[in-house]
Amino acid sequence: MSTAARVIDDLTAPGIPARTRLRLASEHLAGGPTPQDHPVLIARLAEVVNGPGGDERVMHALGVYDTVVAQAA
């Protein structure tokens, strides 16, 4: 599985607290890109997840995502 796919799976995993999803995504990004990944995409994902204010931005986005998923269910 590509790093990008793992990160997306991590961030959208149902039933897992947002902070845990963020940590898992960060851990997978630390492994770097696989041959399937474009290095620029992985660098950009890492910048969003691990960059300044990333916790707040990503936590907010995960909260919105979780709300939409719950409403759609």
Side-chain angles (χ1 to χ4, degrees):
M1 178 181 278
S2 72
T3 299
R6 279 189 188 272
V7 168
I8 291 166
D9 283 351
D10 292 339
L11 294 175
T12 60
I16 297 175
R19 190 151 308 280
T20 301
R21 290 183 277 166
L22 185 59
R23 180 184 50 78
L24 291 170
S26 182
E27 289 172 5
H28 283 123
L29 286 166
T34 66
Q36 300 161 311
D37 292 306
H38 192 287
V40 174
L41 173 61
I42 299 306
R44 180 66 181 127
L45 283 170
E47 181 181 311
V48 169
V49 170
N50 299 321
D55 273 2
E56 292 175 14
R57 285 193 319 268
V58 176
M59 293 294 288
H60 176 73
L62 290 175
V64 171
Y65 174 81
D66 291 343
T67 299
V68 170
V69 168
Q71 290 174 350

